[in-house]
Amino acid sequence: MAKAFGRRPDAPAVPFIVWLLAVTSLVAWRQGVIYEGGADPVVVAKALIQCVALLIAAVMLVRTPIRQPLGGRTLGLLLFIVTVSVVGAYAQGNTVASVVLAVRILLLTATVVMVLRACPPKVVLKTLLAAMAVVGAVSAVTGMGEMLSGGRLGGGIPPLTPNDIALLCGLPALGILHEAVHGRSGVRLLAVSAGLAGLVLATGSRTAIFALAAAIVMVLLHMRRPPVQVAAAVLVAVPVIFAVAAYTTTLSNILNRADSASLVTLNSRTISWEAVLAIPFDTLQRWLGAGLSVKQIAVVGQYWDKQVFDSSWISTLAQAGVVGLVLLAVWTARTVWDSLRTPRLGRFTNAALLFILIRSVTENGLVDASVDFVVFFTLSVLLERASTSPGPFPAAAYGPSGSAAKAPSERVPAG
């Protein structure tokens, strides 16, 4: 640990621990529970883990001799959205729970910023994806029982939903594939990527499966001279995928799974969306929202009283109003633009953002204490810096070596 802190600022062990603790504190430890204020053993335990991650990140930053430069646009947009949501919560009498969640997001943001300042970009991304894969794979393996009995793959320890597992396994699978197509990973890691993608398929999460497929195509489109093992894997995968789709019921089971009539499908999601969109424009709630703790809304004409939003965009509209939604749209558009105009880094970030943004339509998390937020914020900050750097930052930081040592102009001495 001391060696990683002091003599090797780019050592992956410490940032991996930070990410592992952060991801563990962010994923659900129990299902069907929406935070509405107060404290219980689970809330306290998750808060303590997040604080430990923040402390380790702070020590790592203090002991790192080379600081990575970062921009301020992404952080500024996030602070504006959170501030708007807090003001809206105060106006709606929903202050305490929303302020707690706002503080948690800010502490999480501080942790991410410290890691980004202390570590080279490639180390940041690799360790983050590795931590996600560990948590997702452990949850999936310990939750195989339900899938073997004919259900979707859900989590055991921790008890994640299929959609959560799809996120935690999907992005690492994409990251390994990206490394493979550019000749930076071997057959074993390629097999790990295939295994993680298989876990995503087993979840039956339709949006995530579609998003991962589109992201994989995006990664392959950036491929120029594929390594032999990648070309062989593609040649084997194409007929296998065709056979599975044409001669088995896998595809039809995913599209028409047994829980299609449940409250988590697109049809029921649109009920809450319509309720949020129906908030009058002449109310303060429409423009500033009602706070970050608002995760569901009352519905009428159904046999249930409340419906969760299940969309990052609808959630933002409900939590931070039209003002917050516009800010998020600007943030997203600028991040995508930065990715498109940063070709070397964009080979991965284009696909990763495609995966995240497709999921954001039917999943919460872009502005929340969640893994989605951590990934989106991290990519946004890295892209902001890479796209505005006048020097060799993108090539040096994200090249095959993954070291920032080739860019002396980007070195910022500690203190």
Side-chain angles (χ1 to χ4, degrees), residues 343-363:
R344 193 179 187 93
L345 178 57
R347 293 174 186 175
F348 172 69
T349 58
N350 289 341
L353 288 172
L354 182 64
F355 179 82
I356 293 168
L357 294 179
I358 289 177
R359 288 186 76 257
S360 72
V361 177
T362 57
E363 297 291 337

Side-chain angles (χ1 to χ4, degrees), residues 28-370:
W29 290 15
R30 50 192 175 182
Q31 296 301 328
V33 177
I34 296 176
Y35 180 74
E36 297 179 347
D40 57 45
V42 171
V43 172
V44 172
K46 294 179 75 171
L48 288 175
I49 292 175
Q50 184 173 342
C51 289
V52 172
L54 176 63
L55 178 60
I56 296 176
V59 174
M60 177 174 63
L61 178 61
V62 169
R63 301 190 64 176
T64 298
I66 300 176
R67 306 284 177 82
Q68 304 296 321
L70 302 177
R73 184 188 68 235
T74 297
L75 184 59
L77 287 169
L78 172 64
L79 292 178
F80 272 123
I81 295 173
V82 172
T83 301
V84 169
S85 71
V86 170
V87 174
Y90 177 77
Q92 300 301 318
N94 184 35
T95 308
V96 176
S98 293
V99 168
V100 170
L101 290 175
V103 170
R104 189 179 181 196
I105 289 177
L106 295 180
L107 291 176
L108 181 61
T109 300
T111 303
V112 176
V113 169
M114 288 179 187
V115 175
L116 289 169
R117 288 278 284 154
C119 302
K122 194 168 186 179
V123 173
V124 171
L125 291 176
K126 283 190 171 183
T127 52
L128 173 57
L129 295 179
M132 291 171 60
V134 168
V135 176
V138 169
S139 181
V141 170
T142 55
M144 286 285 186
E146 184 176 351
M147 185 190 71
L148 295 177
S149 62
R152 299 169 61 189
L153 176 61
I157 303 174
L160 305 182
T161 67
N163 292 340
D164 293 333
I165 293 176
L167 168 68
L168 293 174
C169 295
L171 276 175
L174 195 65
I176 296 173
L177 178 64
H178 167 266
E179 292 293 287
V181 300
H182 294 290
R184 296 194 289 269
S185 67
V187 177
R188 291 182 179 179
L189 281 179
L190 199 58
V192 172
S193 177
L196 292 172
L199 292 178
V200 176
L201 185 64
T203 65
S205 179
R206 291 171 292 198
T207 303
I209 292 171
F210 171 76
L212 183 60
I216 288 174
V217 171
M218 179 75 73
V219 169
L220 295 178
L221 287 177
H222 286 291
M223 184 170 54
R224 295 181 179 178
R225 296 181 180 179
V228 175
Q229 63 267 27
V230 175
V234 171
L235 290 176
V236 171
V238 170
V240 170
I241 293 173
F242 175 79
V244 169
Y247 301 110
T248 71
T249 60
T250 302
L251 184 61
S252 61
N253 289 342
I254 292 173
L255 295 177
N256 303 288
R257 63 178 188 238
D259 64 345
S260 294
S262 71
L263 300 183
V264 295
T265 59
L266 182 60
N267 289 335
S268 61
R269 285 186 175 110
T270 57
I271 295 172
S272 65
W273 298 359
E274 292 170 358
V276 174
L277 293 173
I279 297 174
F281 274 93
D282 59 353
T283 62
L284 194 61
Q285 182 180 355
R286 180 67 163 180
W287 293 97
L288 301 181
L292 293 170
S293 65
V294 177
K295 308 289 186 182
Q296 56 187 356
I297 192 169
V299 295
V300 296
Q302 308 297 330
Y303 62 85
W304 58 92
D305 298 326
K306 295 182 179 180
Q307 175 66 43
V308 295
F309 300 131
D310 282 329
S311 170
S312 291
W313 301 94
I314 297 298
S315 294
T316 301
L317 180 60
Q319 296 166 354
V322 174
V323 176
L325 185 63
V326 171
L327 290 172
L328 178 60
V330 171
W331 180 6
T332 302
R334 190 55 194 264
T335 300
V336 171
W337 173 245
D338 287 344
S339 183
L340 292 175
R341 69 194 186 109
T342 312
R344 193 179 187 93
L345 178 57
R347 293 174 186 175
F348 172 69
T349 58
N350 289 341
L353 288 172
L354 182 64
F355 179 82
I356 293 168
L357 294 179
I358 289 177
R359 288 186 76 257
S360 72
V361 177
T362 57
E363 297 291 337
N364 295 319
L366 279 189
V367 185
D368 199 356
S370 67

